[in-house]
Amino acid sequence: MVGESSMSDVAFLLLIFFIVSTTFPEVGLPMILPSKAGDVKQVKRDNVMQIVTARSGAYFIDVDTEPTPLYELKGIVRQRLTDNENLILSLETHPDAPYGSMINALDEVTLAYNELAAANIRREHRISLKMLDIE
Amino acid sequence: MELRRKAGSGARIPTSSMADIAFLLIVFFMVTTIFKMEQGLAITLPRSTAGEKIPKENVAHIWIDRTGVISIDDLVVSVPDIDYMISAKLRENRGLIVSFNTDENAPYRVVNEAMERLKLANALRVTFTTVPVEEQ
């Protein structure tokens, strides 16, 4: 006879083991850092959009004196990117600014890029569908 | 009179307790298993919507808490130590990704200094770990 009363203990032990050993996938914003000196490129002033994060965590675009709220950032970046394909975004952060505010700006910029890229793919896709129709 | 011996008494091994032994072994190995886990620092990660999954392999973590304390491999390190430690890791693994686990209220200065050190170590692939939020 196998003792069945301890079966549930074993089941719970297994449950706890797997709960403890499970790790959730980590999520993050990837970035490639520029390599060290000697890789300095000159860029046109017109192609640069500055997003300055102030000490307080407020965002200023280029030389604006009025801060831009975070939720407007994505729209502005998208607009500037559609106007100028060669746009270079420069995230400048005050050393005393909280890290989280820089991440929020980076997040919005990444979102703007992703949305535009998705829109471009959709556009190309539609063209290829049309071409299929003709043939 | 019955004098003849019984032919062979038939040795038996009790098999009913076999399962108990098996479970005992399972329990023993479960209890003795130690997970190699980095303790890290107590931090509140910033939130993001555009976050991507970080691969589990090839990742080295740098922990920075809200006061700017830096920890790698559960060792509290100073900024100049970073490039030494990371380049040692990079020698073992060319495709290393450095993951910043930084508190959202940490001063940006520390992160920036750490990134400068990474550039010196030539560890250019970084990622900023965040907590995912669903977009409304």
Side-chain angles (χ1 to χ4, degrees):
Chain A
M1 256 255 274
V2 181
E4 278 133 21
S5 59
S6 58
M7 215 61 133
S8 64
D9 294 346
V10 175
F12 275 117
L13 196 93
L14 284 168
L15 191 72
I16 291 165
F17 176 76
F18 284 111
I19 289 173
V20 170
S21 61
T22 306
T23 50
F24 291 98
E26 277 188 303
V27 167
L29 299 166
M31 183 179 271
I32 306 283
L33 296 177
S35 56
K36 53 196 163 185
D39 208 26
V40 184
K41 270 187 214 152
Q42 288 234 317
V43 288
K44 269 195 203 156
R45 191 77 199 81
D46 306 348
N47 286 345
V48 177
M49 176 182 177
Q50 280 174 296
I51 299 175
V52 182
T53 309
R55 192 186 188 136
S56 59
Y59 305 106
F60 296 87
I61 291 173
D62 294 335
V63 286
D64 287 356
T65 44
E66 284 295 305
T68 308
L70 181 68
Y71 61 87
E72 281 180 16
L73 219 53
K74 188 173 78 182
I76 297 170
V77 171
R78 270 192 75 156
Q79 191 53 51
R80 295 274 194 102
L81 270 173
T82 29
D83 292 348
N84 181 1
E85 275 187 353
N86 301 318
L87 192 74
I88 293 161
L89 278 145
S90 163
L91 282 175
E92 292 165 26
T93 312
H94 190 280
D96 289 329
Y99 167 78
S101 56
M102 186 280 275
I103 288 298
N104 286 337
L106 181 62
D107 187 34
E108 293 297 310
V109 170
T110 314
L111 269 181
Y113 264 105
N114 288 354
E115 283 176 13
L116 270 183
N120 283 341
I121 288 167
R122 242 176 279 141
R123 205 175 304 133
E124 281 166 25
H125 192 59
R126 207 164 292 145
I127 293 166
S128 67
L129 279 180
K130 255 182 212 162
M131 284 155 74
L132 281 176
D133 276 347
I134 299 164
E135 287 175 19
Chain B
M1 232 159 96
E2 186 74 53
L3 281 177
R4 207 194 294 169
R5 280 187 175 185
K6 276 184 191 165
S9 65
R12 264 209 215 138
I13 299 171
T15 47
S16 64
S17 57
M18 212 68 127
D20 292 345
I21 294 166
F23 278 120
L24 195 92
L25 282 170
I26 293 178
V27 172
F28 175 76
F29 284 112
M30 277 182 183
V31 171
T32 52
T33 304
I34 299 162
F35 293 103
K36 196 194 160 201
M37 270 233 242
E38 212 179 339
Q39 210 81 39
L41 299 170
I43 53 166
T44 316
L45 287 171
R47 301 151 79 83
S48 81
T49 35
E52 291 170 33
K53 259 186 205 162
I54 305 172
K56 279 205 190 331
E57 299 86 27
N58 302 341
V59 175
H61 296 277
I62 293 183
W63 301 76
I64 302 173
D65 78 356
R66 56 173 303 158
T67 54
V69 173
I70 306 168
S71 158
I72 301 173
D73 286 342
D74 282 337
L75 286 171
V76 173
V77 296
S78 59
V79 174
D81 294 336
I82 294 175
D83 56 326
Y84 168 73
M85 288 193 80
I86 294 296
S87 50
K89 283 175 184 289
L90 202 66
R91 266 199 298 278
E92 285 168 24
N93 183 354
R94 298 303 305 167
L96 190 79
I97 302 169
V98 177
S99 162
F100 275 95
N101 292 10
T102 309
D103 191 285
E104 57 182 355
N105 289 317
Y108 181 69
R109 182 199 312 275
V110 185
V111 182
N112 193 45
E113 283 168 359
M115 282 199 282
E116 290 302 321
R117 289 288 159 178
L118 292 186
K119 283 186 206 167
L120 287 179
N122 212 24
L124 302 177
R125 296 168 74 192
V126 299
T127 174
F128 303 105
T129 309
T130 56
V131 177
V133 277
E134 298 308 317
E135 212 180 347
Q136 288 89 30

